[in-house]
Amino acid sequence: MDLAPRPAAGSPLRATWAEVDLDRLRHNVRVLRARLAPPAALMAVVKADAYGHGAVAVARAALEAGAAWLGVALLEEGIALRRAGIACPVLVLGWTPPERAADVVAADLDQAVTAPGDAAVLAAAGRAAGRRARIHAKLDTGMGRLGWPVPDTAACDRAALDLARIAALPGAELAGVFTHFAGADDADLEGARLQVARFRGVLDRLAERGVRPRFRHAANTAALLRLPDAHFDLCRPGIGLYGYVPSPHVPDPGLLPVLSWRTRVAFVKDLRAGDAVSYNGTYVAQGPERVATLPVGYADGLRRGLSGLGAALVGQGRAPIRGRVCMDQIVVSVEGCGPVAPGDPAVLIGEQGGHRQWAQDMGDLLGTISYEVLCGISPRVPRVYAGDGAPDAARAGRP
Ligand SMILES: *Cc1c(COP(=O)(O)O)cnc(C)c1O
């Protein structure tokens, strides 16, 4: 057997990496944009390092493909985009501690606000900086998480009054009013429709007070694809950018998964009947079986819950995980994969040898969603960019 490692195309120094195809990302942005009900524009949600894909590279590609805004969860995520030279409007969707208000203004970020006190602090920071802090007031129309709860008309009136006061604060601009869907990916859209009605109720009351925020927004990927009534001025897709629909109830408009998780075979050996594999010997070979060791484990985000459950793609076949997933390694059965040697490419998420498995398939095995699988790929896994104009395109084996 030739034990000299054969370099795999696209392999960076580490033997396990995530390849992010920016052409596919741009394709997804265009597919989603084509579904927007005018006058809605697109805010690419790149929180959590762009769902594990790398926020700066994804942000640039999304803007090239026509996104107008970026959305992040944290102030730090917004500041990181600014440090990378990204100048478009960026909304911080999550709560920022009031002590950081000056940083929000200094970074020229739009900030979600969930209570009058936070708005006042941002307005003061705006005045101190000689400009206006841009505020997006968040209404809780049914998510039950953040924002002005608006379950009935009295609550809608109170919210509208608060928002009108914020709009009048010197040093602040009520740039937006928004809400978030709890179940736009549910089989039944009744709850989402009720949320839209509540949202419109507050907007109508605001208009009666003469307040018309420029950006009204509500739709995540599911609502973008299923509820044109909820598009308003901006849609905020996240998961769709990365090539997945949020649930089986959301029709796929032809999105392409952007991230492939790749590794290489570290070791190959033949088990005999009775040989045990990995911690605690939970797998014992029933007969002769060829196995390969892959240098990827739960410290990379390959969840230990996949022990004895998931598979990698190796050679021409699917290679089921045998025994426990370790911190840095797994063992897979390569029976039926054709000839396999150390250094060969293997795939955890992606396509190879006529087989494919995507983040959603891994999520199904784990009882979770594609989002969690993608965000869970740890920072130890280098992100390598492929596609036109990608800094790593040459390294990823593309012209
Ligand atoms: C994460 C998030 C989104 C994007 O949701 P997807 O389901 O990934 O499209 C939109 N809006 C808010 C407020 C979010 O937190």
Side-chain angles (χ1 to χ4, degrees):
M1 196 195 301
D2 174 15
L3 289 182
R6 291 180 241 157
S11 154
L13 289 178
R14 204 193 148 194
T16 295
W17 72 102
E19 183 185 299
V20 176
D21 188 327
L22 298 174
D23 285 339
R24 286 177 158 229
L25 184 102
R26 283 183 285 254
H27 164 90
N28 294 336
V29 171
R30 287 190 286 264
V31 165
L32 294 169
R33 279 185 66 212
R35 303 288 293 264
L36 295 177
L42 189 138
M43 173 189 293
V45 176
V46 298
K47 64 193 179 191
D49 205 22
Y51 294 37
H53 294 61
V56 170
V58 163
R60 290 204 176 109
L63 293 169
E64 281 162 22
W69 282 70
L70 299 170
V72 294
L74 309 180
L75 170 60
E76 286 69 20
E77 293 173 339
I79 290 173
L81 295 172
R82 290 291 186 240
R83 289 212 170 116
I86 291 170
C88 73
V90 176
L91 174 60
V92 180
L93 294 159
W95 182 74
T96 295
E99 310 86 83
R100 306 293 310 274
D103 298 326
V104 173
V105 173
D108 201 23
L109 300 168
D110 287 52
Q111 173 64 53
V113 159
T114 56
D118 289 348
V121 173
L122 277 163
R127 290 194 300 275
R131 44 205 228 204
R132 295 206 292 166
R134 286 188 306 276
I135 287 172
H136 293 234
K138 179 155 199 186
L139 302 175
D140 179 3
T141 56
M143 178 68 182
R145 196 173 61 175
L146 277 182
W148 279 264
V150 288
D152 53 37
T153 42
C156 285
D157 284 335
R158 279 195 300 275
L161 177 61
D162 279 351
L163 269 48
R165 284 184 178 145
I166 290 172
L169 283 174
E173 174 190 351
L174 185 66
V177 175
F178 77 110
T179 192
H180 190 47
F181 289 108
D185 62 332
D186 284 344
D188 182 353
L189 281 172
E190 206 178 313
R193 294 211 164 91
L194 176 62
Q195 286 194 253
V196 176
R198 287 173 172 164
F199 188 53
R200 285 189 191 284
V202 179
L203 292 172
D204 289 346
R205 282 173 177 73
L206 263 185
E208 284 163 16
R209 294 176 181 277
V211 179
R212 286 186 183 74
R214 238 180 102 203
F215 299 102
R216 303 158 298 165
H217 48 107
N220 52 9
T221 301
L224 189 162
L225 293 173
R226 294 173 89 198
L227 280 170
D229 274 359
H231 287 193
F232 296 100
D233 304 307
L234 272 179
C235 288
R236 309 187 305 261
I239 198 70
L241 305 173
Y242 309 106
Y244 294 87
V245 289
S247 83
H249 305 299
V250 179
D252 187 337
L255 301 169
L256 301 173
V258 169
L259 182 146
S260 298
W261 192 1
R262 303 183 184 280
T263 185
R264 296 174 69 191
V265 172
F267 190 75
V268 179
K269 74 168 184 172
D270 292 305
L271 302 175
R272 297 159 308 165
D275 285 348
V277 171
S278 192
Y279 285 117
N280 311 111
T282 56
Y283 181 79
V284 178
Q286 299 304 297
E289 181 176 356
R290 178 158 288 192
V291 293
T293 305
L294 306 180
V296 59
Y298 60 77
D300 300 303
L302 188 73
R303 295 259 301 273
R304 192 167 174 275
L306 291 171
S307 297
L309 256 187
L313 308 180
V314 181
Q316 298 303 305
R318 296 179 65 81
I321 297 174
R322 296 302 195 213
R324 294 256 150 92
V325 172
C326 308
M327 188 181 291
D328 315 296
Q329 302 178 70
I330 54 171
V331 177
V332 297
S333 174
V334 294
E335 291 292 323
C337 292
V340 174
D344 281 358
V347 167
L348 299 158
I349 293 175
E351 299 177 277
Q352 182 175 299
H355 296 267
R356 60 183 53 125
Q357 56 183 21
W358 299 112
Q360 186 57 58
D361 302 313
M362 204 176 262
D364 290 344
L365 292 173
L366 289 160
T368 186
I369 51 179
S370 59
Y371 303 61
E372 196 187 11
V373 170
L374 293 167
C375 294
I377 301 173
S378 84
R380 191 169 83 165
V381 177
R383 271 61 173 177
V384 175
Y385 294 94
D388 237 19
D392 304 313
R395 198 154 47 134
R398 294 181 184 224

